[in-house]
Amino acid sequence: MILAIIVILVMIVILLTVYNMSIHKKIENFQNLNQKIASLNVVQDFMNTVGECTTVDEKIGKINEILIERYQIKYSTIVVYDGAEYIVKASNVEQKHWETLRNLQSEEIFQNSVQTATPKYVTVENENERLPYQKMEFGRAKSAMFFPLYIENVYIGYWLIEGSMPHEFDKIDTTILEVVRNNIVSVIRTVGNQGIIENIVRDDKYSHLKSAEYLYAEGRKEIDKHTTSAVCLFKITNLEKINEEISRKTGDEVITAVSEMVQSNLAAEYIFVRYMGPKFAIVFSGIEANAVASFMVDIKKQVEELEIEPVDVEFEEDEEVVAKPKINVVISTYYKGTALEGVMKKLEEYVDSADEKENSINYL
């Protein structure tokens, strides 16, 4: 009799165990379903943000706020390469830590993650330790997940989430976060095209070249067929002097002569535009920056050998007045999927601040 009671009790325990396991499994499935629904809602919020906010920084900042709120993340930081350097585009971490956060791709612990396009999880074992990349803070973050961002196999930056407790992300669903990561990339790609207004591309009157906007519209489609391209900006440094000391029409003729000479030496697949005023841009699609140096040395020599007769102005017969253009040249590298406008801005700032007497080919 006692044996029968024991057997019945064992069977009840087994049935309850099976039932509890079944209930637990259903709860897990329900939670996963809720997570997937939440992720879909986040994606919808992303799309709404792209349409509603005005500036690129506002869009990415709002997206970061959505991630923090919906996933209850302590810290979230989005870092993007702008063509010249890595920039913290959005973060709720104090700005004093941004210099560290924008250089994580150079940290040894994350380099394999960047190379393999896989997330990296780091954590400490106790409150007295700090994460390997932390330089000046101990108590802020104790766990972190690093998600490299790629556009068509080109590395463009990363998304970093941080927690305030050791092992905080041990049980997090990385599948869901990778979906979020992919949607961050989609938004970055979308807002990267903001401000590009294709219908304002025009032909310049004197150089007969496309205006600068062409680089960011039709031109960019051709440039982005290659992983890297050499970008060159050159400035006619004495154009203003020619305008003042000879005549404005002579200066216009200088622009025409320089443009025609450079254009005649360029292959059809390279993009040549009048960037602004005395500045011109050339993009050597698919060519390494150091490979165009000798070409630009030759171009510079030919440009500076030009002699343009004065136009619409007369001088004394014994005065031999001709306009001889001088140019300053700077070259950099553009990486597909990054900010071409960032590269151009960096080059423009250089030629505008350089000494007029500077007479070499420079690299940035």
Side-chain angles (χ1 to χ4, degrees), residues 18-56:
V18 171
Y19 177 75
N20 285 337
M21 290 176 63
S22 175
I23 292 296
H24 180 71
K25 186 67 175 177
K26 287 179 180 179
I27 291 172
E28 280 190 339
N29 290 338
F30 180 74
Q31 289 174 336
N32 288 336
L33 180 60
N34 277 346
Q35 284 183 312
K36 290 175 182 178
I37 292 171
S39 292
L40 289 174
N41 290 336
V42 168
V43 172
Q44 183 60 54
D45 286 343
F46 280 9
M47 296 304 103
N48 291 340
T49 297
V50 170
E52 291 171 2
C53 296
T54 53
T55 69
V56 170

Side-chain angles (χ1 to χ4, degrees), residues 13-120:
V13 170
I14 293 172
L15 288 171
L16 287 173
T17 302
V18 171
Y19 177 75
N20 285 337
M21 290 176 63
S22 175
I23 292 296
H24 180 71
K25 186 67 175 177
K26 287 179 180 179
I27 291 172
E28 280 190 339
N29 290 338
F30 180 74
Q31 289 174 336
N32 288 336
L33 180 60
N34 277 346
Q35 284 183 312
K36 290 175 182 178
I37 292 171
S39 292
L40 289 174
N41 290 336
V42 168
V43 172
Q44 183 60 54
D45 286 343
F46 280 9
M47 296 304 103
N48 291 340
T49 297
V50 170
E52 291 171 2
C53 296
T54 53
T55 69
V56 170
D57 288 344
E58 279 183 349
K59 293 178 192 293
I60 298 179
K62 181 62 176 177
I63 285 166
N64 204 48
E65 290 173 10
I66 292 169
L67 294 173
I68 293 164
E69 178 185 347
R70 293 298 184 89
Y71 292 99
Q72 298 181 335
I73 297 168
K74 181 68 174 178
Y75 302 109
S76 176
T77 301
I78 298 172
V79 175
V80 178
Y81 184 65
D82 74 347
E85 59 184 341
Y86 287 91
I87 300 293
V88 175
K89 300 298 286 186
S91 180
N92 65 329
V93 178
E94 287 183 84
Q95 198 162 352
K96 65 182 180 180
H97 301 304
W98 284 16
E99 186 62 26
T100 296
L101 292 177
R102 75 181 187 89
N103 288 300
L104 295 186
Q105 75 287 334
S106 60
E107 294 286 337
E108 184 177 354
I109 194 168
F110 296 126
Q111 286 178 359
N112 185 63
S113 176
V114 171
Q115 292 167 3
T116 59
T118 56
K120 176 68 176 180

Side-chain angles (χ1 to χ4, degrees), residues 124-307:
V124 298
E125 295 301 323
N126 59 68
E127 293 290 341
N128 297 322
E129 297 180 52
R130 65 177 176 179
L131 296 170
Y133 62 86
Q134 292 178 328
K135 306 299 181 186
M136 56 186 289
E137 77 264 37
F138 286 86
R140 184 182 65 80
K142 297 299 181 182
S143 301
M145 290 198 74
F146 177 94
F147 295 88
L149 305 178
Y150 279 78
I151 292 179
E152 295 181 4
N153 299 320
V154 176
Y155 174 66
I156 62 157
Y158 49 89
W159 173 39
L160 181 77
I161 63 172
E162 298 172 293
S164 57
M165 297 183 296
H167 295 279
E168 187 165 334
F169 302 131
D170 284 6
K171 297 181 180 180
I172 198 166
D173 188 342
T174 57
T175 303
I176 298 296
L177 290 180
E178 290 210 44
V179 171
V180 174
R181 184 264 302 270
N182 292 338
N183 282 283
I184 292 173
V185 170
S186 297
V187 172
I188 290 172
R189 185 202 294 264
T190 300
V191 299
N193 295 324
Q194 183 178 338
I196 299 172
I197 308 172
E198 295 186 2
N199 60 6
I200 66 172
V201 174
R202 65 196 184 280
D203 291 327
D204 180 65
K205 180 179 179 180
Y206 299 107
S207 66
H208 309 299
L209 300 172
K210 297 291 185 185
S211 60
E213 290 82 4
Y214 182 80
L215 283 177
Y216 310 118
E218 292 300 315
R220 189 168 190 154
K221 295 177 184 177
E222 294 302 313
I223 297 168
D224 278 352
K225 290 179 180 178
H226 307 272
T227 301
T228 61
S229 297
V231 180
C232 171
L233 191 73
F234 70 85
K235 178 180 180 181
I236 304 175
T237 57
N238 62 339
L239 183 62
E240 185 176 350
K241 185 177 180 181
I242 291 169
N243 289 339
E244 292 174 353
E245 296 184 359
I246 303 179
S247 72
R248 181 61 180 263
K249 288 190 176 180
T250 303
D252 293 339
E253 190 63 27
V254 167
I255 289 172
T256 301
V258 170
S259 303
E260 290 177 352
M261 192 282 294
V262 175
Q263 184 74 76
S264 67
N265 283 275
L266 285 176
E269 63 267 27
Y270 301 147
I271 296 172
F272 182 35
V273 300
R274 185 174 183 185
Y275 192 72
M276 185 180 296
K279 290 168 282 196
F280 297 78
I282 308 172
V283 179
F284 299 87
S285 305
I287 305 298
E288 296 290 337
N290 57 9
V292 305
S294 60
F295 175 80
M296 289 309 302
V297 168
D298 186 56
I299 288 293
K300 179 174 170 64
K301 182 174 181 294
Q302 291 185 56
V303 166
E304 296 183 343
E305 287 175 350
L306 291 171
E307 295 185 351

